[in-house]
Amino acid sequence: MTVKPTVLQELPVDLQREKLPRHVAVIMDGNGRWAKTRGMPRIMGHRRGVDALKDLLRCCRDWGIPALTAYAFSTENWGRPLEEVEFLMTLFERILHQELAEMMAENVKIRFVGNLDALPRSLYAEIEKSMIDTENNRGTQFTVATNYGGRQEILQACRAIATQVQQGTLEPDSIDETLFASHLYTHGIPDPDLLIRTSGEMRISNFLLWQMAYSEIYITDTLWPDFDRTEFHRALTDYQQRQRRFGKV
Ligand code: FPP
């Protein structure tokens, strides 16, 4: 049997290794439309979306990008039809269960961010296990935003800080950006340098609102299940042509 080689296994030669983003965030949009254009149920789009995400995670390792964050489920996504929500929860659980051994072997460190307490118990248990098992891994930092909302994340940080002030253990004058960021779900992970959103939508959609203050944004019309290494190469080429000024001239 011949094994199909992975296209673009190594970092493409036209990309500069020293100018790669340290952290890429993705809004994986267009799964439903991908399925619809093929006359398939929406859930098939999510299935193929998982394959695209798995390869992107491996690609980050192969090309030397240390952190990837994916928006899997927003706090607003509960408004989808019940069957789709249930399918997604079951899919997340199954994928985590199936892929954990491989992620361990590939040294991936997983963190789930969002209001995890509100997720189904069995999914929560898999999430907890994946985070504990991979805690000491030093390969790609893979963050999955699930039942995540950027405003809600900021509010929970405010509550934690306000409680410390109320208890007299924190002076309001000591609240600076570093302290604030240490109360976010993403503490310890560098802010995303690059946000990729597929399917042509030009919105942030309540994703990493604080963390993306200076992220470069790349939007492609490609639907998420079709987002492959060639598309990622395109996004990184575009990113490397940007002049990042962080508000300076
Ligand atoms: C958006 O497409 C996609 C989602 C809401 C789900 C994305 C989730 C995955 C790909 C699975 C991730 C799994 C793990 C375990 C990390 P859409 O349904 O909004 O597409 P549409 O805009 O075409 O309707």
Side-chain angles (χ1 to χ4, degrees):
M1 194 181 89
T2 52
V3 179
K4 202 173 137 214
T6 307
V7 180
L8 296 172
Q9 182 77 51
E10 311 227 322
L11 183 70
V13 288
D14 58 322
L15 291 177
Q16 294 169 259
R17 197 170 286 281
E18 61 290 355
K19 276 181 73 181
L20 286 173
R22 286 178 310 154
H23 182 180
V24 173
V26 284
I27 302 183
M28 309 176 286
D29 213 358
N31 290 348
R33 274 164 283 171
W34 183 93
K36 197 171 169 215
T37 53
R38 285 161 180 79
M40 298 173 178
R42 289 174 56 81
I43 56 170
M44 288 307 292
H46 296 314
R47 281 218 177 103
R48 291 297 288 266
V50 170
D51 295 338
L53 182 59
K54 271 164 45 184
D55 192 51
L56 184 61
L57 180 60
R58 286 213 177 93
C59 187
C60 286
R61 178 203 57 189
D62 293 346
W63 293 3
I65 293 169
L68 174 70
T69 296
Y71 204 1
F73 195 85
S74 74
T75 45
E76 289 73 35
N77 286 153
W78 294 109
R80 292 182 174 223
L82 185 62
E83 316 83 77
E84 186 170 338
V85 171
E86 283 177 351
F87 174 84
L88 283 169
M89 295 298 148
T90 312
L91 180 73
F92 296 161
E93 191 179 324
R94 191 161 46 82
I95 296 298
L96 258 184
H97 190 77
Q98 275 170 10
E99 301 294 327
L100 186 57
E102 204 158 334
M103 289 200 269
M104 276 304 285
E106 293 183 3
N107 209 13
V108 173
K109 180 175 172 138
I110 309 175
R111 187 186 301 180
F112 276 78
V113 295
N115 180 8
L116 306 180
D117 290 340
L119 295 172
R121 287 288 95 190
S122 52
L123 171 58
Y124 184 83
E126 289 291 345
I127 286 177
E128 215 176 16
K129 177 168 168 39
S130 72
M131 293 202 284
I132 293 169
D133 285 6
T134 65
E135 200 174 350
N136 296 318
N137 288 354
R138 291 290 169 263
T140 314
Q141 168 73 61
F142 180 40
T143 308
V144 185
T146 310
N147 195 21
Y148 174 88
R151 287 184 175 180
Q152 174 262 328
E153 178 185 33
I154 289 170
L155 283 177
Q156 67 78 32
C158 289
R159 273 186 224 110
I161 292 169
T163 304
Q164 289 183 11
V165 171
Q166 192 181 39
Q167 290 168 344
T169 54
L170 180 68
E171 285 294 323
D173 283 348
S174 320
I175 303 170
D176 59 12
E177 292 188 14
T178 308
L179 180 122
F180 194 84
S182 74
H183 286 275
L184 296 174
Y185 299 134
T186 51
H187 56 89
I189 303 172
D191 289 342
D193 295 305
L194 172 64
L195 167 71
I196 298 174
R197 184 165 191 161
T198 52
S199 93
E201 308 287 353
M202 303 213 187
R203 287 186 292 277
I204 301 281
S205 297
N206 205 14
F207 190 35
L208 302 175
L209 294 180
W210 171 280
Q211 297 86 337
M212 291 210 291
Y214 287 102
S215 304
E216 296 294 327
I217 301 180
Y218 176 84
I219 295 180
T220 169
D221 285 336
T222 300
L223 304 177
W224 176 254
D226 290 328
F227 191 87
D228 58 10
R229 291 183 183 221
T230 305
E231 295 287 340
F232 193 35
H233 179 197
R234 254 181 224 134
L236 293 174
T237 304
D238 189 278
Y239 169 80
Q240 292 203 333
Q241 284 158 2
R242 309 268 180 105
Q243 285 242 328
R244 300 192 74 198
R245 290 196 294 269
F246 299 96
K248 304 183 187 95
V249 287

